[in-house]
Amino acid sequence: MVTAKVWVLKKHFEGFPKISNFDLKEIELPNLKDGELLLQSVFLSVDPYMRPYSRRDMKEGDVMIGTQVARIVESKNPAFTVGVFVVARSGWRTHFISDGKDLQALPSSWPESLPRSLALGTIGMPGLTAYFGLLEVCKTKPGETVLVNAAAGAVGSVVGQLAKIWGCKVVGCAGSDDKVAYLKKIGFDEAFNYKTVTSLDEALRKASPDGYDCFFDNVGGEFASVAINQMKKYGRIAVCGAISQYNDTVPQKGPYVQIPMIFKELRMEGFLVTSWNNRWEEGLKALLKWVMEGKVKCHEQVTEGFENMPAAFIGMLKGENLGKAVVKV
Amino acid sequence: MVTAKVWVLKKHFEGFPKISNFDLKEIELPNLKDGELLLQSVFLSVDPYMRPYSRRDMKEGDVMIGTQVARIVESKNPAFTVGVFVVARSGWRTHFISDGKDLQALPSSWPESLPRSLALGTIGMPGLTAYFGLLEVCKTKPGETVLVNAAAGAVGSVVGQLAKIWGCKVVGCAGSDDKVAYLKKIGFDEAFNYKTVTSLDEALRKASPDGYDCFFDNVGGEFASVAINQMKKYGRIAVCGAISQYNDTVPQKGPYVQIPMIFKELRMEGFLVTSWNNRWEEGLKALLKWVMEGKVKCHEQVTEGFENMPAAFIGMLKGENLGKAVVKV
């Protein structure tokens, strides 16, 4: 008999999530039936989407939604061998039982030397979000100028590096000087701290006086309102996230977008990476290759201890992480 | 020697245009040189775009921008015969001289019985705006539900009828009961007066409980904010106009669009019909055919007298017209 620890949503978030919204519980797992396997979480992911999706997909008392890299510790399913690592979508749990259907093997070419936690970040959902967002939504072309915000985050840092690989000029914004230094280190052409600039409008104009062809938006809100006025004719805006709005209790307002949309003939497209579920293998293969070649660098903010999951989640929403925020069990 | 009357922009518009923004002047036209021709405006167009473009493209004292159907009254250019009608972009003038370069002949198959004023409306720029906006921006498919506002206007009325030809369900909104009756008469499945409904949100839900695949937006502002929340997954919003915002002295604000854009994976695209300049012939041919077959019905609001151009323009901005607003000289 195995005891799993789980984090449940005790009370729906109102505004910014608090530690008191969560409850740590213990669950006795039953013995395995034929076809089942027991898994132990090794790394768990905390991601912005959990904030809006908690309201849509969960009720109070449910185990928090989420993804992990897990190790198979016991198997009554001949298709799965003990010791193998997989990506699962089993929520905030230390242990869980699966019939194997929703498990995703790490790419077969995954090198031993590479941290498996990257399967939750650059070589996982966030990396794929950057890949398909730039390739299929922005339809970025060589020579174009790409703007990305939350640029030192799990998605943004990959967006900038892929845009560089694809021959673009890249401008990134982040919320601390350390993050800005990191962006310059990984090859961003221009980077600035949006919290300390006198005027975001001026900082964006200075970084690219001719404007922007593509804007990969992870933030929404006021940032997006300023950026839209600096798009070039036929510019594309990939709306990936709106982290500045997820904790609003009353929806924020900003200037209507229609006039710049019309007169600059802009395209704005919201997207979820799940729309390319049938192309994940292609994306993961490309990302793994670039990481191994050193063309895409990865940084992770690792929080130790399952008991710190709510703190890691809240810290990530506050922008305390550089790169991908993960929790090591 | 011919004396042309012209309307000049005396003072840039601040807020809603007023008669006092305009000045009627007389200009003596010189004798024709070789290669030139003298034209007389027969119908002049008043269109919403003139409001935002006046600020962008004109200075005080300039002749108002605009388009006309004109008749060649004198020609020293062998390529142009006296008596022929053309579409010109010579602004608000009764007479003008041209070297022929920017003149556009009416389609060769134009029947004698058809009012030539339609070359400024359904079989002209507004009709083409509906055609390319639906075909290339909305990418409307048979069986989809299309929402259009300002639906009894020059563009909206064509949008609805084309969507019906292409096998869609069409919901239209307009600002008077007469307009709503007209929309039903020309085949809209659902139509309502947005000014008299208790709740726009409820009225839109009632007209299409499953939501909307395509939204052809001529209005922007609050209407657009309500409609975006009723788009279906992967919905497309063609942003054609923002007549509710053109006269703002301070930009209006509304709820940020990012959250519905992301979670419903919407595409919003602003467009100008000039992006399809190389396909006007295709569009005009199709529109002319549908008009001749009775599949697209046309209504015009004709104001008599060149001296009434400012009043016709202001009336159009106020939504006083049913169908295309034109001025007969």
Side-chain angles (χ1 to χ4, degrees), chain B residues 79-238:
Chain B
F80 292 89
T81 313
V82 168
V84 165
F85 291 85
V86 294
V87 175
R89 299 161 193 273
S90 289
W92 296 14
R93 302 173 192 266
T94 56
H95 299 79
F96 54 99
I97 291 171
S98 164
D99 61 6
K101 277 182 194 146
D102 286 333
L103 304 179
Q104 198 189 341
L106 269 59
S108 56
S109 53
W110 195 282
E112 269 301 311
S113 61
L114 204 64
R116 292 189 185 91
S117 50
L118 294 181
L120 301 175
T122 304
I123 314 171
M125 183 275 285
L128 292 167
T129 302
Y131 179 84
F132 290 113
L134 269 182
L135 194 69
E136 298 298 340
V137 185
C138 285
K139 297 190 189 293
T140 310
K141 291 187 281 284
E144 291 190 328
T145 301
V146 175
L147 170 64
V148 57
N149 51 19
V155 174
S157 58
V158 183
V159 167
Q161 296 181 87
L162 294 187
K164 286 308 297 175
I165 291 173
W166 291 336
C168 299
K169 171 178 169 171
V170 180
V171 177
C173 304
S176 80
D177 293 346
D178 284 351
K179 289 179 182 178
V180 169
Y182 175 70
L183 296 180
K184 288 180 177 164
K185 197 176 116 189
I186 63 172
F188 279 61
D189 297 286
E190 300 282 342
F192 63 85
N193 180 346
Y194 74 91
K195 288 185 182 168
T196 57
V197 292
T198 320
S199 153
L200 177 60
D201 188 73
E202 276 171 32
L204 288 175
R205 276 183 213 284
K206 197 178 148 204
S208 180
D210 297 335
Y212 297 91
D213 301 285
C214 301
F215 168 31
F216 195 109
D217 187 7
N218 295 306
V219 174
E222 197 186 340
F223 190 106
S225 295
V226 174
I228 197 173
N229 288 313
Q230 297 197 30
M231 298 303 291
K232 293 189 198 177
K233 182 112 175 154
Y234 299 121
R236 287 88 66 200
I237 301 171

Side-chain angles (χ1 to χ4, degrees), chain B residues 14-73:
Chain B
E14 292 290 339
F16 218 93
K18 295 188 285 285
I19 297 286
S20 59
N21 287 114
F22 302 89
D23 219 356
L24 184 60
K25 294 206 167 172
E26 295 198 345
I27 298 175
E28 295 291 320
L29 297 182
N31 291 325
L32 294 188
K33 294 180 204 146
D34 279 347
E36 288 184 339
L37 42 159
L38 175 69
L39 297 106
Q40 179 170 18
S41 299
V42 183
F43 291 102
L44 288 129
S45 189
V46 287
D47 298 285
Y49 76 81
M50 294 166 176
R51 174 64 183 85
Y53 277 33
S54 67
R55 182 65 71 171
R56 200 192 66 169
D57 295 348
M58 299 177 67
K59 55 183 197 304
E60 291 173 358
D62 283 353
V63 174
M64 278 294 296
I65 48 174
T67 313
Q68 58 265 90
V69 170
R71 184 172 167 274
I72 300 171
V73 289

